[in-house]
Structure formats: structure tokens, C-alpha cells
């Protein structure tokens, strides 16, 4: 029997792939950030993302390009992709919210929900579960939340101020925006033409209690690829997990 929840699960997505990736230089001197390869895999970040989206039931993806767009478009045209991909290039810088709105206009089914992800996220968790969570709460937007490990060691002290333990790279006590989203059809109409949706649309939805947060399950892999160290760590983690 078909799961009735599957009807409301998105089959379309936007990937925001226009960032310059200045902190990843020299890797991004000749390619956009999503085109940087995870060491040892032979595949750029966006290739892993498209595979993941396809595994989660997505069939159509709009990729929003910017910095060195032609490099990304050339790879997408030549690669054997598991989804149908359309690319868009902003005519001028529109900001994250404006860019999302511009890309969403090219989705094949504007009357259906959609996923979105930042182009520098390397993760694996159930988007189907996140979509069900979104639908159950009747949210307009749902943000994936991660609890990343801190890049520093930490200490634990007792009530007398004596150190009792050292903890290497502990998980953060706060959840952060993981750069993966589920949006209902009406969300695109709430986005600004220019500017940042996290400073405009998201606070508005939060006040109306129509913005949900889906915590990525414990044990699921998540990493934002911002620096060369992130690439190295991702390669180590992939090797140790046999991914």
C-alpha cells in the first residue's frame, strides 16, 4: 500500500551554488565552491548532493549559479546525473533570499512543496522524514538543525573550579541552521526580491509560528565545507565510515 504521506513529499529542489568560497582558496580560484572535490571521492560536493537528493525521491533540481557559473554548468552538462537539472544565473546579485526566489521561479511544479540546500553542505539524513515533519506541523518553512562539533577542545570543571575532564571537539550546546530546508508552495511568494530571507521572511514566519525546526537525527552525517580543513576532515570521516 502506498504511504499517503508520500503525496506531500517534495520531488523538486533548489541548490544554491553561487558562493565565491573565499575561505576555500586556492581550491576556488578556478571553480565555484560546490565544484570542489571531496578528497578521495573524485566527485565534487554538488555531485554528492544531487545523488543524495535523488535517493530521497527528488527528480528535478534547479541549480542557482554565480561565481564561475560556466565551470559548474559545463560539469553539469557533461556529468551523468541522477536528476533532471536546470541552471539559472542571477542577472545581478540578489542576496540569499532574492536568489532563492529567482531560482524557485524555475521549479517545474510551483504549486507543490520543494526542498532547498546550500551548495556547500555535505550530509546524509532522511529528507522524507523531514518532509513528513514539515507536513505534520503545517509549516510554511522547515529548517534542518545540526549540532556541530566545536573546532576546539573543552574542559569540564567542578563546583570548586577544579578541572575534572578534557573533551576533544565536543558537540555544540546550540543547534544551528544546517542549510537544508523544506518549503511549502506559498513560501516563494514571501521571499524578498532582494535581500536575505533569514532576516526578513524567517523572522516573520517565526512570529506567526509557521517556521519549524527539524533536528537532524543523532548519528547522521553533516558538515559544512567552508575551509580546507573541512575538506580534510570530511575525507577522514568518509574513509572511517566507509561511505
Amino acid at each position: 500500500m502506498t504511504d499517503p504521506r508520500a503525496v506531500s513529499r517534495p520531488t523538486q529542489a533548489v541548490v544554491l551554488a553561487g558562493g565565491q568560497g573565499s575561505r576555500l582558496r586556492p581550491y576556488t580560484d578556478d571553480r565555484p565552491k560546490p565544484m570542489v572535490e571531496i578528497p578521495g571521492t573524485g566527485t565534487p560536493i554538488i555531485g554528492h548532493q544531487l545523488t543524495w537528493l535523488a535517493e530521497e525521491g527528488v527528480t528535478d533540481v534547479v541549480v542557482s549559479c554565480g561565481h564561475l557559473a560556466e565551470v559548474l554548468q559545463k560539469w553539469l552538462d557533461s556529468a551523468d546525473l541522477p536528476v533532471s537539472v536546470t541552471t539559472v544565473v542571477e542577472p545581478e546579485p540578489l542576496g540569499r533570499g532574492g536568489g532563492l526566489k529567482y531560482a524557485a521561479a524555475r521549479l517545474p511544479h510551483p504549486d507543490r512543496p520543494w526542498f532547498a540546500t546550500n551548495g556547500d553542505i555535505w550530509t546524509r539524513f532522511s529528507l522524507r522524514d523531514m518532509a513528513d515533519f514539515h507536513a505534520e506541523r503545517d509549516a510554511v518553512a522547515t529548517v534542518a538543525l545540526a549540532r556541530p562539533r566545536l573546532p576546539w577542545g573543552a574542559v569540564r570543571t567542578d563546583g570548586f573550579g577544579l578541572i575534572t575532564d578534557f573533551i576533544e571537539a565536543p558537540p555544540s550546546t546550540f543547534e544551528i541552521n544546517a542549510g537544508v530546508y523544506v518549503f511549502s508552495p506559498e513560501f516563494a511568494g514571501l521571499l524578498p526580491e532582494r535581500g536575505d530571507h533569514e532576516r526578513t521572511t524567517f523572522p516573520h514566519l517565526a512570529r506567526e509560528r509557521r517556521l519549524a525546526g527539524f533536528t537532524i537525527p543523532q548519528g547522521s552525517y553533516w558538515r559544512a565545507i567552508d575551509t580546507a580543513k573541512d575538506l580534510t576532515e570530511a575525507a577522514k570521516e568518509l574513509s572511517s565510515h566507509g561511505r
Side-chain angles (χ1 to χ4, degrees), residues 76-142:
L76 290 169
D77 287 342
S78 63
D80 182 16
L81 302 175
V83 293
S84 175
V85 172
T86 301
T87 59
V88 297
V89 181
E90 297 174 19
E92 59 183 306
L94 300 175
R96 291 191 298 174
L100 199 57
K101 187 183 189 78
Y102 186 76
R106 295 295 300 275
L107 288 169
H109 306 291
D111 58 338
R112 300 181 192 174
W114 46 293
F115 293 117
T117 181
N118 294 342
D120 59 355
I121 300 300
W122 168 234
T123 187
R124 283 292 188 276
F125 66 90
S126 175
L127 286 175
R128 292 179 173 89
D129 288 349
M130 185 177 174
D132 293 344
F133 179 94
H134 171 84
E136 288 162 3
R137 281 149 186 81
D138 196 27
V140 173
T142 296

Side-chain angles (χ1 to χ4, degrees), residues 7-101:
V7 177
S8 63
R9 291 173 185 157
T11 60
Q12 55 186 357
V14 168
V15 175
L16 295 174
Q20 293 193 14
S22 56
R23 290 196 293 167
L24 260 176
R25 288 176 177 157
Y27 296 100
T28 51
D29 284 345
D30 61 354
R31 69 197 65 190
K33 192 193 237 186
M35 279 300 298
V36 174
E37 292 183 4
I38 303 292
T41 69
T43 303
I45 298 167
I46 193 168
H48 293 287
Q49 287 189 324
L50 295 176
T51 297
W52 174 51
L53 290 169
E55 290 170 350
E56 293 296 323
V58 172
T59 57
D60 295 274
V61 176
V62 177
V63 177
S64 178
C65 308
H67 174 64
L68 296 174
E70 65 280 2
V71 177
L72 178 52
Q73 290 173 318
K74 183 178 179 181
W75 182 84
L76 290 169
D77 287 342
S78 63
D80 182 16
L81 302 175
V83 293
S84 175
V85 172
T86 301
T87 59
V88 297
V89 181
E90 297 174 19
E92 59 183 306
L94 300 175
R96 291 191 298 174
L100 199 57
K101 187 183 189 78

Side-chain angles (χ1 to χ4, degrees), residues 136-211:
E136 288 162 3
R137 281 149 186 81
D138 196 27
V140 173
T142 296
V143 181
L145 304 175
R147 198 182 294 273
R149 290 196 168 273
L150 299 176
W152 318 281
V155 296
R156 183 175 284 127
T157 59
D158 63 16
F160 294 100
L162 299 174
I163 293 175
T164 60
D165 198 8
F166 289 87
I167 308 167
E168 185 64 28
S172 168
T173 56
F174 294 99
E175 292 178 317
I176 66 167
N177 180 344
V180 181
Y181 313 91
V182 184
F183 297 134
S184 294
E186 63 265 38
F187 180 77
L190 302 175
L191 285 166
E193 297 290 339
R194 287 181 176 79
D196 190 344
H197 60 291
E198 293 189 12
R199 296 182 180 180
T200 54
T201 311
F202 277 0
H204 171 73
L205 290 175
R207 286 192 295 270
E208 296 190 347
R209 303 182 67 82
R210 295 193 295 165
L211 179 66

Side-chain angles (χ1 to χ4, degrees), residues 92 226 240:
E92 59 183 306
D226 288 322
S240 65

